[in-house]
Amino acid sequence: DHQTYTFLGDGCLMEGISHEVCSLAGTLKLGKLTAFYDDNGISIDGEVEGWFNDDTPARFEAYGWHVIANVDGHDSDAIKAAIDAAHAETGKPTLICCKTIIGFGSPNKQGKEDCHGAALGVDEVALTRKALGWNHGPFEIPADHYAGWNGVAKGTSAQTAWADQLEEYRAAHPELAEEFERRTRGDLPEDFSANADAYIQECQDKMEKIASRKASQNCLNAFGPMLPELLGGSADLAGSNLTIWSGCKDISGDNADGNYIYYGVREFGMSAMMNGIALHGGFINYGATFLMFMEYARNAVRMAALMKQQSIFVYTHDSIGLGEDGPTHQPVEQLSALRATPNLHTWRPCDTVESAVSWKSAIERRDGPAALVFSRQGLKPMPRTPQQVADIGRGGYVLKDCAAPQAILIATGSEVELAVNAADELAGKGIQVRVVSMPCAEIFSAQDADYRDSVLTPTIRARVAVEALHADYWFKFVGLDGRVVGMRTFGESAPGDQLLKEFGFTVDNVVANVMEAIG
């Protein structure tokens, strides 16, 4: 009897996301989902018949929904009967089409766009009260009306019955009851953090050179068995995003006993559904697509951050380094948009170790989403001390240092190796350079000033940031005296290594920029 209800109007059904999610809901046979369609025929610009004349019941029947048409939206008995019919249909989601009059009761504004997004006004409110026979003042609720709407007793009874049922369940299945409550509280298994740290150290010890998207899949194989609440998916790119791990079981319309959703080509719908799953609770859910296709889903990503929900957005193919697919698929400005989103942690790890830390951080975070950005190409593993491994979780840290640095190189992802190689080249010229890896700038920026200054020493003004994405973001770290080796145009269609050379991601160019910054 666990039901989900949603309310939508004409404008909602015009939006493309309505097709994405309603199509999938029908395919998955979500029989406990009921949508109320407020069909009043009005949007902000007026009567919708000039721009929206879909046969909505037929549309939803084509999706595989149970449709209850022509319900009087002002008749509570008719609505109650429709809800009962929706509950009786367990193999399909239900759309209840409620015909309503916008601004019902307003003598001069009902049925018009005038009352869509504006208050009726004092005079029209008085006329509406009279038309509806409501003779009570603002916030004055007659006792009989209050009693009729008061659900405290009913709710208390239902809550008590639920609590009693849970206690019976606990007596019969104590371990399952404890696991249920752990998941619904959002608590992680007690040993998760320690086990995750052990895996991170294992990655450091192995020093594998693999694409970070493969490192991400390895993380899923490591963390998945620890987290029975993990629920994954991809927008028709599972084989490219590498989001399927060894313990994945498909969810379908005939089998809900799984932990992986094939969302199809529905990036926006997937991301919005992830937010719904996060709001429901009991799951840690992730969904994946190419970084470029984040553009289709940006509103849902923003809403996850605004609502402080733990949605984990996995984005692969993270730069011009992906190669021949060309500028339509090569992200440039997307990372800047993600980093500009308040309350979103955007990670771009440089190797298997940082990839594992990014997953651990996203899983342990309870007050907002994370975007995990992974490469298509192989990334060289970086040597680290235990303290450096620990400092990855602070968002930025000194990866390679020297006695008296004259300049600082800041890099992320695939460009960290380039920065290290450039620092080595400069050392051969007698120029000492510190290399900072900054996989998550938002977390680094939230550290205390002493730590930030220990990484980016204020007196070292010669700074160069290196990232194969839009350059402008990095000026907040390198300052007016600094340089950024980044993208300022769209990419091109060519092999990835040729593109990186063409756009200046070479040791020689990084060295030249450091020399300029030093002066």
Side-chain angles (χ1 to χ4, degrees):
D1 60 354
H2 183 67
Q3 303 287 329
T4 299
Y5 303 95
T6 184
F7 296 84
L8 47 97
D10 299 292
C12 305
L13 292 177
M14 293 182 222
E15 295 282 1
I17 190 176
S18 70
H19 168 68
E20 293 186 29
V21 296
C22 294
S23 167
L24 186 55
T27 300
L28 293 179
K29 303 178 182 178
L30 302 184
K32 295 181 180 180
L33 172 64
T34 299
F36 294 88
Y37 169 31
D38 178 17
D39 179 13
N40 60 40
I42 295 293
S43 65
I44 291 176
D45 280 348
E47 296 181 9
V48 302
E49 61 185 15
W51 48 88
F52 182 63
N53 59 5
D54 295 12
D55 185 341
T56 297
R59 171 186 167 188
F60 276 76
E61 286 172 353
Y63 290 148
W65 284 54
H66 170 221
V67 177
I68 304 174
N70 300 316
V71 175
D72 184 348
H74 301 290
D75 183 338
S76 58
D77 291 334
I79 295 171
K80 177 63 166 60
I83 293 172
D84 291 342
H87 290 175
E89 173 54 75
T90 60
K92 299 178 178 181
T94 295
L95 179 71
I96 300 176
C97 301
C98 300
K99 195 64 182 176
T100 63
I101 300 172
I102 192 171
F104 180 79
S106 170
N108 299 304
K109 294 188 177 182
Q110 73 172 15
K112 301 176 182 178
E113 66 273 17
D114 296 13
C115 56
H116 184 284
L120 293 176
V122 175
D123 294 340
E124 190 67 17
V125 166
L127 293 173
T128 302
R129 288 175 178 275
K130 183 177 180 180
L132 294 174
W134 185 259
N135 300 313
H136 308 283
F139 304 105
E140 179 186 335
I141 310 297
D144 58 337
H145 285 71
Y146 187 92
W149 284 93
N150 190 341
V152 172
K154 180 180 178 181
T156 300
S157 176
Q159 180 65 30
T160 300
W162 162 251
D164 291 344
Q165 185 180 22
L166 180 59
E167 287 307 310
E168 293 174 6
Y169 183 73
R170 192 192 315 279
H173 308 284
E175 292 182 359
L176 290 175
E178 183 179 350
E179 177 68 6
F180 170 78
E181 291 188 302
R182 178 188 72 78
R183 296 193 206 179
T184 54
R185 287 194 307 266
D187 294 341
L188 292 171
E190 289 185 3
D191 58 355
F192 174 77
S193 182
N195 288 337
D197 286 342
Y199 175 71
I200 290 166
Q201 186 58 50
E202 179 185 328
C203 292
Q204 185 63 62
D205 294 339
K206 288 179 72 173
M207 294 284 285
E208 278 188 294
K209 180 176 181 177
I210 56 176
S212 56
R213 61 170 175 160
K214 178 60 179 175
S216 170
Q217 186 180 48
N218 291 348
C219 292
L220 291 171
N221 278 306
F223 297 155
M226 307 177 196
L227 300 168
E229 61 266 47
L230 193 64
L231 176 64
S234 173
D236 202 51
L237 287 169
S240 294
N241 299 145
L242 301 184
T243 45
I244 295 178
W245 58 283
S246 60
C248 278
K249 294 192 293 183
D250 302 349
I251 292 173
S252 70
D254 298 315
N255 179 31
D257 183 21
N259 59 4
Y260 193 87
I261 301 172
Y262 287 92
Y263 285 101
V265 188
R266 300 181 176 96
E267 295 87 359
F268 192 3
M270 173 185 73
S271 303
M273 292 172 72
M274 289 169 59
N275 292 344
I277 292 168
L279 285 160
H280 176 279
F283 298 96
I284 295 173
N285 83 124
Y286 66 90
T289 186
F290 290 164
L291 177 57
M292 184 65 240
F293 298 160
M294 177 279 295
E295 294 290 352
Y296 295 130
R298 186 181 295 185
N299 181 266
V301 176
R302 183 178 188 270
M303 288 301 298
L306 189 154
M307 296 187 294
K308 302 179 181 179
Q309 294 303 304
Q310 187 197 31
S311 294
I312 301 176
F313 302 105
V314 177
Y315 300 123
T316 67
H317 296 61
D318 68 343
S319 74
I320 60 169
L322 67 88
E324 288 89 346
D325 283 347
T328 58
H329 285 55
Q330 294 166 357
V332 173
E333 72 277 23
Q334 285 64 41
L335 215 55
S336 297
L338 291 171
R339 287 170 173 154
T341 304
N343 197 41
L344 175 65
H345 288 174
T346 301
W347 287 84
R348 188 174 183 246
C350 77
D351 64 2
T352 59
V353 180
E354 289 189 359
S355 297
V357 173
S358 72
W359 266 108
K360 181 182 183 236
S361 174
I363 289 168
E364 291 184 335
R365 188 181 187 207
R366 303 301 301 171
D367 61 352
L372 310 184
V373 180
F374 299 116
S375 73
R376 180 185 186 184
Q377 68 270 38
L379 304 182
K380 181 181 178 181
M382 294 292 145
R384 297 178 182 85
T385 65
Q387 185 59 54
Q388 286 174 313
V389 172
D391 286 343
I392 296 171
R394 305 188 77 167
Y397 64 102
V398 178
L399 177 65
K400 182 180 176 66
D401 211 358
C402 50
Q406 299 166 260
I408 298 175
L409 275 166
I410 308 168
T412 77
S414 50
E415 286 70 65
V416 169
E417 178 184 355
L418 173 60
V420 169
N421 291 342
D424 290 341
E425 179 85 9
L426 286 160
K429 299 176 183 292
I431 298 171
Q432 300 299 302
V433 177
R434 172 183 296 168
V435 178
V436 170
S437 178
M438 196 174 291
C440 186
E442 300 81 29
I443 293 179
F444 175 77
S445 296
Q447 302 302 304
D448 61 86
D450 287 344
Y451 178 77
R452 295 197 310 270
D453 289 348
S454 73
V455 176
L456 300 178
T457 305
T459 55
I460 304 175
R461 301 294 295 272
R463 301 179 183 183
V464 176
V466 188
E467 186 177 60
L469 289 123
H470 204 285
D472 285 0
Y473 176 82
W474 290 103
F475 284 102
K476 65 187 286 185
F477 292 108
V478 301
L480 296 178
D481 299 329
R483 304 286 188 277
V484 179
V485 178
M487 295 295 293
R488 291 171 173 81
T489 67
F490 295 116
E492 298 289 348
S493 181
D497 55 348
Q498 292 183 26
L499 289 172
L500 291 169
K501 182 178 180 181
E502 176 69 22
F503 285 99
F505 297 97
T506 65
V507 169
D508 288 346
N509 190 42
V510 174
V511 167
N513 274 269
V514 172
M515 299 292 286
E516 287 181 10
I518 292 174

